[in-house]
Amino acid sequence: MIINTLALKQFRNIENMQLHFSDTVNIIYGENAQGKTNILEALWLFTGMKSFRGSKDAEQIHFSFDKATVKVQFDADGLEQSASIEFSDKKSIFLNEVKQNNSTALSERYHAVIFSPEHLSLVKGGPRERRSFCDNALCQIKPGFSEYLSKYKKNLVQRNALLKDYKYNSSIELMLDIFEENLAQLGTQIMLQRKKYLEALQEQAERIYAGISSGKEQMQLLYHSTVNMEKEAAIKEQFLEALKKSRTEDMQTLSTSVGPHRDDIEITINGISARKFGSQGQQRSAVLALKLGEANVLKNKTGQQPIALLDDVMSELDEIRQDYILHHIEGWQVFITCCDPNTILRLKKGKTFQIEKGTLKKESNE
């Protein structure tokens, strides 16, 4: 997939802007708070996902106006296509000038991955962040996975509620058995899908991280489960047994202590925890490898190469790691925001865009 042009009207701090992109590397540079990330945000919105900044639709509109429009022309599936999103009192979505009922049509045609400084929580943060990353990626390539998650969470809420009453009324044990059976059935599918996905991601991320570090470091992903997963055929039975054994303890906390909602993904560099001992550059490189690895897995499933949106990715990276991003992500269309003007001097192929106060001050081919 290739983005050819992006047109913005009254979007964020940008009143009117049209950008014509290179099909290789595009560097969007300028000082802080000029509108660089707004451009990446606009490109991301066509995935059908919410803003990676957590913004509401109303916040996309320039404060001087009551309507905003973003439009892209892109090549996908061998065809030139267009999409636009209008923000006013409600959001309207168009694909090839035909109004859509929801964003599903966009997500089927338009693929992207995003790196932003907030994503460093994948390494620095708690297990929830890593589980969400894995589950969101699976939802893109396995449509039925989101249903497993939804049903699992509902049964988990029901079990936790029953634990409160169980210590006073043992007659509800039969109901508890039913919800635990459901949890074991659904949870087994979730854990197996995660394990399979992480194996595919490991292959991609390990290769990418080796490239970023010039082969000096090795990255590895390890799935840590609260359920014994050594024998796949016995996971459900192991999970069910663990649920029953934990009832007494779980009644004290009114929560379920075992299951995929408590699992974690450990990221190591040269066998050492990246979260505990990784440098800023190593942690940033690990997240970048995860994101680009995610895109490669998505490409293998959909046949479409996602675009890469890299917000402030160069910070904390030495020149060797920066060089990989600028020159060795081959076969991709990449969008990079940065503040350091020296970055553009090292670009050998692509385009640069200088943004100042929401306007395009300079556009150059390298």
Side-chain angles (χ1 to χ4, degrees):
M1 193 186 86
I2 297 293
I3 308 297
N4 298 314
T5 62
L6 171 67
L8 304 173
K9 288 187 177 180
Q10 299 153 21
F11 181 78
R12 292 284 195 173
N13 71 330
I14 300 170
E15 288 195 30
N16 196 348
M17 182 186 294
Q18 188 169 63
L19 303 172
H20 301 271
F21 297 119
S22 164
D23 60 4
T24 56
V25 179
N26 299 273
I27 295 181
I28 302 162
Y29 70 100
E31 296 181 359
N32 287 324
Q34 302 302 303
K36 305 185 300 296
T37 301
N38 295 342
I39 295 170
L40 293 197
E41 182 179 27
L43 290 170
W44 172 255
L45 291 173
F46 289 99
T47 62
M49 306 284 281
K50 294 181 179 179
S51 167
F52 62 86
R53 305 159 94 177
S55 305
K56 298 179 180 178
D57 289 345
E59 296 171 345
Q60 313 293 356
I61 304 172
H62 192 292
F63 65 88
S64 300
F65 301 92
D66 56 9
K67 179 182 177 180
T69 305
V70 294
K71 183 175 182 178
V72 289
Q73 291 181 326
F74 63 102
D75 295 331
D77 300 317
L79 300 172
E80 185 174 342
Q81 306 189 54
S82 66
S84 61
I85 305 175
E86 295 179 359
F87 300 93
S88 55
D89 55 337
K90 62 179 181 178
K91 182 167 69 173
S92 300
I93 299 169
F94 298 85
L95 179 62
N96 297 320
E97 300 184 355
V98 177
K99 190 172 183 179
Q100 306 297 311
N101 294 327
N102 52 54
S103 60
T104 303
L106 293 181
S107 63
E108 292 175 350
R109 304 283 185 91
Y110 186 105
H111 302 290
V113 293
I114 179 75
F115 169 96
S116 73
E118 287 77 12
H119 291 129
L120 290 171
S121 61
L122 283 176
V123 175
K124 296 182 175 183
R128 183 192 298 271
E129 305 287 344
R130 291 179 285 278
R131 289 195 301 266
S132 294
F133 165 73
C134 184
D135 291 344
N136 290 338
L138 273 165
C139 287
Q140 292 188 70
I141 61 176
K142 296 279 186 180
F145 187 77
S146 61
E147 186 175 355
Y148 280 126
L149 285 175
S150 177
K151 289 182 177 179
Y152 180 86
K153 290 176 182 176
K154 288 178 181 178
N155 279 272
L156 184 64
V157 169
Q158 292 289 346
R159 181 184 189 263
N160 290 343
L162 285 172
L163 288 171
K164 182 178 180 180
D165 298 326
Y166 180 61
K167 58 184 175 182
Y168 303 113
N169 182 6
S170 60
S171 65
I172 64 173
E173 183 174 7
L174 179 59
M175 293 180 63
L176 200 55
D177 287 340
I178 293 172
F179 286 113
E180 289 179 348
E181 173 70 25
N182 291 341
L183 283 175
Q185 180 71 37
L186 295 164
T188 296
Q189 293 302 314
I190 291 170
M191 290 184 288
L192 285 174
Q193 292 288 355
R194 282 179 181 173
K195 186 173 181 288
K196 186 176 180 180
Y197 175 77
L198 288 172
E199 289 171 353
L201 181 61
Q202 166 70 32
E203 181 180 349
Q204 299 294 334
E206 181 180 14
R207 178 179 55 81
I208 292 168
Y209 190 92
I212 295 173
S213 66
S214 300
K216 297 177 182 179
E217 299 167 356
Q218 183 182 26
M219 174 181 167
Q220 189 174 12
L221 305 176
L222 303 170
Y223 187 47
H224 294 303
S225 178
T226 52
V227 176
N228 187 342
M229 296 184 64
E230 290 183 7
K231 296 181 180 179
E232 290 191 3
I235 293 176
K236 179 184 173 183
E237 289 72 22
Q238 297 279 2
F239 190 5
L240 197 55
E241 183 181 352
L243 286 169
K244 295 187 184 304
K245 284 184 177 180
S246 66
R247 280 184 183 178
T248 301
E249 177 186 342
D250 291 350
M251 279 191 291
Q252 303 304 315
T253 61
L254 301 181
S255 63
T256 301
S257 57
V258 294
H261 63 289
R262 292 294 183 95
D263 293 350
D264 195 5
I265 301 162
E266 184 182 10
I267 302 167
T268 67
I269 298 172
N270 292 340
I272 299 173
S273 169
R275 182 177 67 84
K276 295 179 180 178
F277 304 108
S279 68
Q280 292 285 344
Q282 287 175 323
Q283 292 178 341
R284 192 172 286 257
S285 298
V287 175
L288 181 60
L290 287 174
K291 286 291 183 176
L292 297 181
E294 174 193 1
N296 279 340
V297 175
L298 184 61
K299 176 189 175 183
N300 292 338
K301 293 292 184 181
T302 65
Q304 288 285 341
Q305 177 68 68
I307 61 172
L309 307 173
L310 310 179
D311 188 27
D312 193 26
V313 71
M314 297 300 195
S315 299
E316 308 292 346
L317 298 182
D318 57 35
E319 287 194 13
I320 293 176
R321 295 173 192 259
Q322 291 183 6
D323 179 74
Y324 177 87
I325 296 169
L326 290 173
H327 306 127
H328 298 286
I329 303 179
E330 298 178 354
W332 289 56
Q333 188 180 32
V334 183
F335 299 83
I336 301 169
T337 65
C338 65
C339 297
D340 184 3
N342 291 322
T343 300
I344 69 170
L345 299 177
R346 300 201 305 276
L347 183 65
K348 298 175 182 178
K349 183 180 180 181
K351 294 186 74 171
T352 62
F353 305 85
Q354 183 179 7
I355 306 300
E356 185 176 293
K357 297 180 180 179
T359 62
L360 176 60
K361 186 175 181 181
K362 184 180 179 181
E363 177 179 332
S364 303
N365 288 292
E366 302 304 322

